[in-house]
Amino acid sequence: MILYKYMSLTAARAVLETNSIGFSSPNDLNDPFETLALSFQPEIRTVKVLHDSAHRSRIKANYALLSLTRNPLNALMWAHYGDNHRGVVIGIDTDKAGLNNAEKCLIPAQQGDMIYTATMPRNLLPIPSTEDLMGIGNKVSSFDKEDNDLFKNAFLYKDSSWAYEEEVRVVKNVRTDPYVSKHRECRYSNGAGEWSQIQYEGRPLYCLSIPRSSIVEIYLGRRFGHNFTKFGKSNEELNTLKSEWMNIVEGLQQVREKAGTWSLESIPARI
């Protein structure tokens, strides 16, 4: 399965130079309602509130997610996440990247389709035990059908206004040594993979190492060339970059408007 990530030119260069892809904490996403669909049965209000809060806190501290999409030619996605059509979309083979591996993903790609609803779901879960609560992040690192409702509520529900994104999520445990600061850049490994923790725009970003062979498609935005002309760079530099990327994927694609429609299409990029 090939899924797509919209990004700026700067981010795309980082991905292709390091063979890694960034996972973000739920705290750092652009939807303020992340994890709020997770709620437990109203037995004793104080107990319920404490468990809701404790679960969300541990989930946000120990897990991070990668947001992908099924469509590389979505004009709104290009505008919102592809640097206003100046950026790049990278196509990732999720099998080759290990993103379908249920042993290393809390939510693997094949289970990560977002559920869009007009109202917040009320799938109230049983109040968990202290042992279950403490297991979040420590014991739970792979996909388990028994925990599916809990993590589906936490990660896979969004308001229907976001449906245009056609989002597919991959969730992994990014837990490391508890004494390592979230604001410190470091490299580490855990049961979910090999990681490089960096700082990006004042927040931690967890970069998962993936095989170069898992990057199988690259799309250049409709205004991609503006990155070079805007800063007085030459066509030679643009063509050099295209040539480098043609050595990574078999078919480098250029996005353009589809004549007579409001749609986008892609054609092979040329030097």
Side-chain angles (χ1 to χ4, degrees), residues 26-270:
N27 280 328
D28 298 319
L29 302 178
N30 57 3
D31 182 358
F33 294 98
E34 292 289 348
T35 76
L36 290 184
L38 176 61
S39 189
F40 297 93
Q41 293 175 0
E43 294 183 358
I44 302 172
R45 175 169 173 76
T46 301
V47 173
K48 170 181 158 38
V49 170
L50 286 174
H51 276 76
D52 287 3
S53 175
H55 261 80
R56 291 194 190 105
S57 294
R58 293 185 67 81
I59 282 172
K60 290 176 179 180
N62 292 308
Y63 300 108
L65 60 90
L66 170 64
S67 296
L68 301 169
T69 185
R70 298 184 180 281
N71 183 3
L73 298 173
N74 183 318
L76 269 180
M77 291 290 284
W78 275 105
H80 295 166
Y81 301 106
D83 192 19
N84 195 24
H85 296 260
R86 294 187 295 266
V88 177
V89 165
I90 290 180
I92 299 172
D93 185 314
T94 56
D95 284 320
K96 292 180 179 178
L99 300 178
N100 291 332
N101 187 339
E103 295 298 316
K104 293 190 174 185
C105 299
L106 185 75
I107 300 178
Q110 68 266 35
Q111 301 290 338
D113 288 298
M114 294 301 296
I115 303 165
Y116 300 102
T117 63
T119 56
M120 187 177 290
R122 297 299 178 196
N123 303 329
L124 299 181
L125 304 173
I127 294 287
S129 67
T130 300
E131 182 181 359
D132 289 339
L133 177 63
M134 298 305 292
I136 300 297
N138 292 326
K139 301 176 183 178
V140 185
S141 297
S142 57
F143 178 74
D144 188 335
K145 289 183 179 179
E146 291 185 5
D147 295 318
N148 189 46
D149 284 343
L150 188 155
F151 293 112
K152 182 171 71 174
N153 279 26
F155 291 111
L156 298 183
Y157 280 101
K158 292 191 80 169
D159 182 76
S160 56
S161 61
W162 296 90
Y164 76 94
E165 294 184 344
E166 297 183 78
E167 184 179 357
V168 179
R169 286 184 169 178
V170 179
V171 181
K172 280 181 171 281
N173 190 324
V174 293
R175 182 180 172 86
T176 184
D177 189 316
Y179 299 105
V180 174
S181 169
K182 297 289 185 182
H183 302 288
R184 172 185 164 189
E185 298 197 354
C186 64
R187 296 184 65 84
Y188 67 97
S189 62
N190 63 12
E194 299 290 328
W195 301 93
S196 176
Q197 178 180 295
I198 66 172
Q199 289 294 305
Y200 178 73
E201 295 183 348
R203 63 182 177 87
L205 189 66
Y206 306 93
C207 299
L208 174 72
S209 294
I210 58 175
R212 168 62 64 90
S213 62
S214 66
I215 300 172
V216 293
E217 296 177 11
I218 301 176
Y219 293 77
L220 309 180
R222 168 65 182 81
R223 298 170 176 159
F224 182 78
H226 292 194
N227 290 297
F228 296 83
T229 57
K230 179 180 179 182
F231 297 104
K233 296 184 178 180
S234 66
N235 284 334
E236 183 178 348
E237 291 175 281
L238 173 59
N239 290 335
T240 297
L241 181 62
K242 287 182 179 180
S243 180
E244 291 174 0
W245 287 0
M246 284 177 177
N247 291 327
I248 296 175
V249 297
E250 291 184 3
L252 182 67
Q253 297 290 305
Q254 175 65 60
V255 175
R256 67 180 186 183
E257 298 94 344
K258 187 174 183 180
T261 76
W262 297 115
S263 303
L264 298 174
E265 64 180 2
S266 66
I267 59 173
R270 298 173 182 172

